[in-house]
Amino acid sequence: MKRIAILGATGSIGTQALEVAAAHDDLEVVALAARSDADGLVAAARATGAAFLALEDASAAERLDVTVRSGPDALVRLIEDAQPDLVLNAVVGAAGLEASLATLERGIDLALANKESLVAGGDLVLAAARTSGAAILPVDSEHSALLQCLGDTPRDQLASLVITASGGPFRGRTRDELAGITVEQALAHPTWAMGAKITIDSATLMNKGLEVIEAHMLFGLPYDRIEVVVHPQSIVHGMARLRDGALIAHLGHPDMRVPISYALTYPRRETLDARPLAWDAPFSLDFEPVDLATFGCLRLAMEAGEAGGTAPAVLNAANEEAVAAFLAGRIGFPEIEALVADALGHVAVEPLASLDVVRAADAAARARVAEAIA
Ligand code: NAD
Ligand code: MG
């Protein structure tokens, strides 16, 4: 029996993970955490029998008559108390970084959906895994695909990694055509149903930028060997380009339960009722170059990745604030990119020496965005 903790249990990834765990006999959900959805957390606890619970929001926790850890260090205390074999981090945003570190530092394997952990604090996260020997198992569909495409290929035989992007709802538009976009339009993703923040990131292509940094961290390749290609059907999730010209791809209908299941049961594979790709009707796969001139967030992310240090933490925090402001109707869609560029231009980049350095960069970027909006 593998005892698992699900952080972000009430979200899009979290609820799909609960479904996967219920379908696999050898997974036992022992701990659950969310931000403020007390009812959702209690319902998940009843369904799984999980005894260890946490809510970041203390006032939401107070309303419950069961024991719930709460407050800013609730996730870390939850991991300490529950001692799971594996933690699924499906929290959204840099708020998930400390839980990733706490998991790996205790030698617990980490199934990682929270890509912002690796973007904001990548070197710290990798160092924690190296020191304890715990594994980081990607849940992001592209990175799960890449892990599987790579198999045991020696790194010197790998030429590059290819990440696919659906292109989001505004694929094919020009920069000028991004001006009047509404929140509803930006939330209408063509192929994936996800939480609001990542859906907006998919519309700006910031999500692909965060994923390029995530791939750099997970697979240790330089940025010039990580390719991005637009693939509107989201059927090919990732590819490994080998030095003899072979391109190994991972295919499947878009369904996050597939990479979630692989990360939760790794290194085994369990049966899942995912819809198979079928050959009874014609279908085709399209690929097109990515438009970096229109979707500047992807370019900014690649530049921040290359710059290293705290630049990706600044990029990420500025983006979180800008996306929240866009979702609240306070700024227009093109301003997301403008605010991130502004923060990167104003917050000094430092070496990523400690968690405190990351926190300071994160706070400075958020303050800069708030100032720019006001
Ligand atoms: P979501 O908004 O649907 O859910 C987020 C979850 O995190 C909720 O349960 C919320 O309560 C919890 N949460 C937020 N802040 C918290 C805090 N401070 N402390 C504790 N819990 C907190 O988001 P999502 O779409 O499920 O995405 C989660 C993560 O997975 C993101 O990093 C995202 O980039 C990544 N991801 C998501 C998908 C997808 O299909 N949804 C695909 C790939 C990667
Ligand atoms: Mg992804």
Side-chain angles (χ1 to χ4, degrees):
M1 196 60 107
K2 197 187 272 183
R3 300 172 72 252
I4 64 173
I6 301 179
L7 314 181
T10 57
S12 166
I13 292 289
T15 51
Q16 292 180 85
L18 288 166
E19 201 184 307
V20 168
H24 297 340
D25 289 339
D26 55 349
L27 295 179
E28 182 189 2
V29 180
V30 296
L32 296 166
R35 186 181 53 209
S36 57
D37 179 1
D39 294 342
L41 190 78
V42 167
R46 289 223 178 88
T48 57
F52 298 94
L53 305 177
L55 278 177
E56 203 241 3
D57 181 345
S59 61
E62 269 167 27
R63 291 199 302 273
L64 294 177
D65 51 9
V66 291
T67 307
V68 183
R69 289 146 198 82
S70 66
D73 62 345
L75 297 183
V76 175
R77 282 188 283 125
L78 181 78
I79 294 162
E80 257 165 22
D81 296 345
Q83 296 282 339
D85 301 313
L86 178 124
V87 171
L88 168 63
N89 188 347
V91 168
V92 61
L97 172 59
E98 274 146 69
S100 289
L101 291 172
T103 299
L104 295 167
E105 282 163 2
R106 283 164 183 75
I108 301 168
D109 290 344
L110 176 66
L112 188 62
N114 179 253
K115 63 191 86 183
E116 295 94 339
S117 286
L118 277 176
V119 172
D123 288 338
L124 303 177
V125 174
L126 296 184
R130 239 186 340 261
T131 304
S132 72
I136 306 173
L137 302 163
V139 170
D140 217 346
S141 54
E142 296 79 1
H143 304 75
S144 176
L146 293 175
L147 178 72
Q148 296 171 63
C149 292
L150 275 171
D152 51 13
T153 305
R155 285 306 146 89
D156 65 342
Q157 294 175 27
L158 175 69
S160 64
L161 292 173
V162 186
I163 299 177
T164 54
S166 72
F170 310 128
R171 179 175 62 88
R173 298 214 189 179
T174 64
R175 232 181 138 74
D176 289 345
E177 289 167 347
L178 296 181
I181 278 165
T182 65
V183 171
E184 288 68 30
Q185 289 169 325
L187 283 175
H189 195 274
T191 52
W192 293 98
M194 311 177 285
K197 189 260 180 184
I198 184 176
T199 304
I200 301 303
D201 286 351
S202 299
T204 61
L205 292 205
M206 179 59 91
N207 183 51
K208 221 37 64 178
L210 301 179
E211 290 184 352
V212 168
I213 298 172
E214 182 185 13
H216 166 79
M217 292 294 166
L218 285 171
F219 302 108
L221 279 194
Y223 284 97
D224 62 1
R225 288 168 59 197
I226 302 172
E227 306 173 49
V228 176
V229 64
V230 172
H231 166 48
Q233 292 90 0
S234 301
I235 284 178
V236 177
H237 304 299
M239 297 179 261
R241 196 189 288 280
L242 306 183
R243 67 179 178 187
D244 60 0
L247 195 59
I248 314 288
H250 179 289
L251 284 75
H253 286 296
D255 181 348
M256 285 308 295
R257 295 175 312 149
V258 176
I260 291 169
S261 181
Y262 188 63
L264 296 185
T265 65
Y266 183 90
R268 285 176 53 77
R269 278 175 199 275
E270 295 296 339
T271 308
L272 196 71
D273 63 345
R275 178 161 75 105
L277 279 178
W279 321 119
D280 52 353
F283 73 92
S284 43
L285 303 173
D286 299 310
F287 296 90
E288 57 187 62
V290 67
D291 179 359
L292 287 174
T294 301
F295 298 98
C297 283
L298 173 54
R299 188 180 41 75
L300 290 172
M302 289 166 156
E303 288 169 5
E306 289 273 12
T310 52
V314 170
L315 168 101
N316 177 68
N319 179 60
E320 285 184 30
E321 291 300 313
V323 169
F326 171 69
L327 285 170
R330 293 168 59 217
I331 61 168
F333 186 81
E335 284 170 82
I336 298 174
E337 179 191 330
L339 287 165
V340 174
D342 172 77
L344 283 166
H346 281 86
V347 180
V349 174
E350 313 272 351
L352 202 82
S354 67
L355 183 56
D356 284 342
V357 170
V358 177
R359 284 202 190 108
D362 179 283
R366 288 177 202 270
R368 175 72 202 178
V369 171
E371 212 175 285
I373 293 175

